Amino acid sequence: MKKIDLDKLTTESRNPNTFDIDKLSTLEMVRKINNEDKKVAEAVEKELPNIAEAIDRISERMSKGGRLIYIGAGTSGRLGILDASECPPTYGVSEELVQGIIAGGKEAIFRAKEGAEDSKELAVEDLKSRNLNENDTVVGLAASGRTPYVIGGLNYANEIGALTISVSCNKDSEISKYAKIEIAPVVGPEVVTGSTRLKAGTAQKLVLNMLSTGVMIKQGKVYGNLMVDVKASNEKLVERAKRIVCEATGAEREEAERVLEETNYDVKLSILMIISGEGKDRAKEVLDINNGYIAKALSYIQNNK
């Protein structure tokens, strides 16, 4: 078996600030953890230009019918699945648009299947099963930046012509060699050596938050800072839909409820109808013409009066 050299990986280094963490009081212990966590946002900040480029290029492909697919193992894979699973209820998109794939399949979400991450071929099979195409984006997630499963997935995505992005916490990592865009927030050694579910996991979560949120904003899923494609699938979300319509339009609750009932709780359509004064059919037509962007739809109506 080939020896894996972990000595060069920042994520595997010992943290001199926590050599004594097992001897501290509980308060002192959590203070040290918190001090290390403070470094995460600064590390992500240094990667903002790369994150912004990734958002623009993902959005461009998504406008052509492409999907955003996260692929990873262990904690990284679970974070991808978490981000993907939250997009449909938040932004009203299909479960196919943003996907998370983890080495070892669904069982690995709940129980570690460490051996699965060593197979490049498994990643290829997983992507083939989803009919990967050139309009898709594959984001390879690996805190260490060396996971074979992720390398296999990115390599196959390149062969297909998909956009490839790497997210790791070691600069110039192995997976970055297979990616068109590298995102590498270097958070430094973990509180507990090698436990990359800590700072590295938090950094990856922040990056994925930005990627999916930025792409959804670019896709017209947000008006102002309101999630106007939210699906009112439970009592909380029904109430949120009403609040969003009121916030966006200044309408009273009764009017918001009336229009939402008329549109079958289509928040975006309800907002456009109230602000523009247009009927449901005309408002829907204008929204479709403007690819679902409320701001563009309002300008279109104004310019065509």
Side-chain angles (χ1 to χ4, degrees), residues 51-52 82 105 116 125 141 164 174 218-219 236 239 242 249 258 287 289 302:
I51 296 170
L82 174 62
E125 292 174 13
L141 307 169
T164 48
E174 188 67 20
K218 292 283 185 179
Q219 293 295 309
K236 181 188 76 173
E239 186 60 32
K242 295 174 184 178
T249 65
R258 177 181 61 78
L287 266 180
I289 291 171
Q302 186 66 35

Side-chain angles (χ1 to χ4, degrees), residues 89-289:
T90 306
Y91 298 110
V93 298
S94 75
E95 294 180 0
E96 299 296 315
L97 189 65
V98 185
Q99 300 182 29
I101 304 174
I102 186 170
K106 289 184 178 179
E107 185 182 338
I109 300 172
F110 306 101
R111 288 187 177 89
K113 295 184 69 175
E114 304 299 347
E117 72 176 49
D118 294 331
S119 173
K120 295 179 181 179
E121 294 74 23
L122 184 59
V124 175
E125 292 174 13
D126 288 342
L127 289 172
K128 282 184 176 180
S129 72
R130 286 161 174 77
N131 299 313
L132 189 74
N133 66 74
E134 67 275 7
N135 287 325
D136 294 331
T137 300
V138 175
V139 179
L141 307 169
S144 68
R146 53 150 302 278
T147 307
Y149 178 82
V150 175
I151 290 171
L154 290 173
N155 188 50
Y156 175 69
N158 284 326
E159 292 175 1
I160 296 297
L163 174 63
T164 48
I165 299 169
S166 66
V167 180
S168 74
C169 293
N170 288 297
K171 202 69 177 173
D172 300 321
S173 67
E174 188 67 20
I175 67 169
S176 72
K177 298 174 184 176
Y178 297 85
K180 295 182 176 72
I181 300 174
E182 177 190 15
I183 299 173
V186 180
V187 295
E190 297 288 4
V191 167
V192 176
T193 306
S195 183
T196 51
R197 72 185 186 90
L198 299 175
K199 289 191 296 182
T202 302
Q204 289 178 92
K205 180 68 168 70
L206 291 179
V207 170
L208 298 188
N209 284 349
M210 288 184 184
L211 288 179
S212 57
T213 302
V215 168
M216 292 303 156
I217 291 171
K218 292 283 185 179
Q219 293 295 309
K221 304 294 183 181
V222 174
Y223 177 58
N225 62 355
L226 300 170
M227 53 175 85
V228 291
D229 262 327
V230 64
K231 295 300 181 188
S233 56
N234 60 34
E235 289 184 10
K236 181 188 76 173
L237 294 177
V238 166
E239 186 60 32
R240 180 177 290 168
K242 295 174 184 178
R243 287 173 58 85
I244 288 171
V245 172
C246 291
E247 290 280 351
T249 65
E252 295 296 327
R253 182 181 174 88
E254 291 74 14
E255 182 182 7
E257 289 177 341
R258 177 181 61 78
V259 178
L260 280 166
E261 289 286 345
E262 183 181 351
T263 64
N264 195 28
Y265 274 77
D266 185 323
V267 174
K268 183 183 289 184
L269 182 57
S270 299
I271 290 170
L272 184 60
M273 287 172 61
I274 292 172
I275 295 177
S276 68
E278 299 284 353
K280 182 171 72 171
D281 292 342
R282 174 58 175 165
K284 188 175 187 314
E285 177 189 357
V286 172
L287 266 180
D288 290 342
I289 291 171

